[in-house]
Amino acid sequence: MPLVEIIRANETSDETVATIVDFSKKIGKTPIVVKDSCGFLVNRILLPYLNEAGFLLDEGVNFERIDSICLKFGMPMGPFTLVDEIGLDVGYKVALILEEHFGARMKVAEILKKAYAQKWLGKKCGKGFYIHPAPARRGWVHKVKNKEPNKEIYNFTGRQKSNLSDDDILKRMLYRMVNEAALCLQEKVCVEASDVDIGLIMGIGFPPFRGGLLHYANSVGCYKIKEDLERF
C-alpha cells in the first residue's frame, strides 16, 4: 500500500512527526498524521463498509451482486473479494476490537462470524466467500481458472430475496463510511477532510476520479446523505 498512517501519541513531539513524514516521503509513501485512537483512520472507516456488506448479505442480497455494484462505482474490488484478500481471520479480529470499543455502531455482521467459524478465511486457505484456485507449482503448465463463488455461504444467510435497488445497496455501504469519517473529523482523529480523502484513496483504493470519500459526499450533498441515512 502506498499509504503510511503516522500515529501521533500524546507525548510525540513535532520534530518526531516531521522526521517520520519526511522519511515516509523518501521511501515513496504518502503519509497522513493520525491521532492514536481505536482503529486509527482507514480501518475505522473501512470496517463499517465491510460490515454493511455483511448485513446486506444476511438480508438476502447476493454477495456477487454486492461486489459487482462496488466495482461499477469504481472500487478496485468488491468488499467480499477484499475480505478474502485480507484474510477473514485478520478482518474479524479487527472488527471485534472495533465493536468492543464503539459498541452497537460497529456490531459485527453475523455472516462474518459464521464464515469465520467455518474457517473460510479467504485466499490464503483457498476458500472464503469465493473458492480460489491453487497456485501453479513451479514447472507445471496448466490453465488457471478464475475464482468461483462459494455457494455454501448461502446456507448461513437469510434465504429471503431482497428487493433493494443497486443504488440503495451502494448508498448503505458508502454512507456508513461517510458517517464514520465525519465522526473522525469531529473527534480530531485527523485534522483535515483531505486527510480522509488521501487516506482512503491510498489506503483502500477509493476511486481517485471521485476525489476521495468526503469530496464525493460533498458532491452528493450532506443533507441528502443525512436523509438517506435516516431512511436506512
Side-chain angles (χ1 to χ4, degrees):
M1 289 296 176
L3 180 73
V4 171
E5 285 185 78
I6 298 171
I7 311 305
R8 180 172 195 152
N10 292 332
E11 302 82 7
T12 310
S13 69
D14 291 342
E15 181 183 7
T16 299
V17 171
T19 300
I20 300 173
V21 166
D22 183 58
F23 175 72
S24 299
K25 291 178 179 177
K26 285 179 178 176
I27 61 171
K29 301 293 185 180
T30 299
I32 56 172
V33 179
V34 176
K35 186 172 77 173
D36 186 9
S37 60
C38 187
F40 309 126
L41 182 69
V42 173
N43 279 340
R44 177 173 165 182
I45 295 173
L46 175 64
L47 260 294
Y49 165 78
L50 298 178
N51 250 334
E52 195 65 28
F55 289 129
L56 288 162
L57 176 54
D58 275 330
E59 292 169 25
V61 183
N62 185 295
F63 68 84
E64 296 167 88
R65 180 186 173 199
I66 295 169
D67 274 1
S68 176
I69 289 168
C70 293
L71 286 173
K72 287 176 184 175
F73 177 75
M75 300 295 278
M77 62 183 74
F80 295 101
T81 301
L82 179 59
V83 168
D84 274 9
E85 290 287 337
I86 294 170
L88 183 56
D89 50 343
V90 177
Y92 185 63
K93 180 179 180 180
V94 174
L96 289 178
I97 291 169
L98 292 176
E99 181 182 13
E100 182 180 359
H101 185 84
F102 292 107
R105 194 172 80 252
M106 293 282 189
K107 181 175 173 59
V108 181
E110 285 298 317
I111 189 58
L112 300 181
K113 296 179 182 179
K114 291 170 182 176
Y116 178 78
Q118 295 298 313
K119 300 190 185 303
W120 293 338
L121 304 183
K123 195 173 182 179
K124 68 174 71 177
C125 69
K127 189 175 186 179
F129 289 95
Y130 294 90
I131 298 169
H132 301 267
R137 297 181 184 179
R138 183 171 294 178
W140 286 29
V141 178
H142 71 284
K143 186 178 180 180
V144 178
K145 61 180 180 179
N146 293 326
K147 66 182 187 297
E148 298 174 353
N150 176 12
K151 300 291 187 181
E152 292 178 72
I153 288 287
Y154 296 113
N155 295 330
F156 299 93
T157 65
R159 301 287 291 186
Q160 75 274 18
K161 188 175 181 180
S162 171
N163 294 319
L164 284 170
S165 68
D166 286 4
D167 190 49
D168 274 357
I169 289 169
L170 182 65
K171 283 178 176 178
R172 276 182 52 174
M173 292 185 288
L174 292 180
Y175 292 0
R176 284 291 305 273
M177 285 201 291
V178 170
N179 195 55
E180 203 60 44
L183 287 166
C184 286
L185 286 175
Q186 181 175 297
E187 297 167 18
K188 302 191 185 309
V189 174
C190 57
V191 178
E192 303 287 346
S194 59
D195 293 334
V196 173
D197 288 340
I198 293 168
L200 291 190
I201 289 171
M202 297 295 181
I204 69 168
F206 191 88
F209 67 89
R210 297 192 184 276
L213 178 67
L214 292 181
H215 187 275
Y216 167 74
N218 282 332
S219 71
V220 173
C222 291
Y223 286 105
K224 289 182 180 179
I225 291 175
K226 178 176 178 289
E227 286 174 1
D228 276 327
L229 283 172
E230 288 173 343
R231 177 166 61 89
F232 295 142

